[in-house]
Amino acid sequence: QLQFVESGGGLVQPGGSLRLSCAASGFTLDYAAIGWFRQAPGKEREGISCISSSGGSTNYADSVKGRFTISRDNAKNTVYLQMNSLKPEDTAVYYCAKDPYRYYCSGYVLYQPHYWGQGTQVNVSS
């Protein structure tokens, strides 16, 4: 089955940090833009960050800019999201996706996201 496997979520206090990982299963990340998304309870899924195929271009939603960092290791077929200074409003299920048709992003989101995984839950609470 072609999908991402997200991991690294958990419970963290406000101001804390987490590093999420997103491993591709059944396909490679080469030559494709990758995006991180999240879905909070009662809200629609939203894109928060995107990285180009080479890793040379990264973009972020205003809500996470300056706190989150997206990166990728194509040799390991894995994308990461370093999350610092976490806030309660960051509580959500986090997902990644790939645009198999493009090596570039549409700002901080993908044009055509594919290969959704099950996500990893992040809870920010004291």
Side-chain angles (χ1 to χ4, degrees):
Q1 188 174 3
L2 304 179
Q3 66 177 25
F4 281 104
V5 179
E6 299 91 346
S7 62
L11 175 63
V12 63
Q13 292 186 341
S17 298
L18 284 174
R19 189 193 194 204
L20 305 184
S21 297
C22 182
S25 176
F27 60 93
T28 68
L29 301 184
D30 293 351
Y31 311 115
I34 306 296
W36 278 99
F37 298 75
R38 68 184 181 186
Q39 187 167 18
K43 295 186 177 181
E44 293 188 355
R45 188 176 300 182
E46 61 173 351
I48 57 171
S49 184
C50 189
I51 186 168
S52 63
S53 60
S54 66
S57 176
T58 58
N59 296 286
Y60 302 91
D62 287 343
S63 58
V64 305
K65 193 175 296 182
R67 301 187 298 122
F68 291 10
T69 302
I70 189 172
S71 62
R72 64 191 292 162
D73 186 336
N74 287 344
K76 294 184 177 180
N77 228 20
T78 302
V79 180
Y80 305 97
L81 188 68
Q82 178 66 43
M83 306 189 298
N84 299 329
S85 303
L86 282 161
K87 304 175 181 180
E89 50 264 44
D90 294 319
T91 294
V93 179
Y94 284 72
Y95 305 85
C96 55
K98 167 185 173 178
D99 185 340
Y101 308 112
R102 298 172 181 84
Y103 60 87
Y104 52 91
C105 305
S106 173
Y108 59 82
V109 297
L110 298 175
Y111 280 99
Q112 293 181 275
H114 290 267
Y115 310 129
W116 297 102
Q118 296 301 309
T120 184
Q121 177 72 49
V122 172
N123 291 306
V124 184
S125 174
S126 55

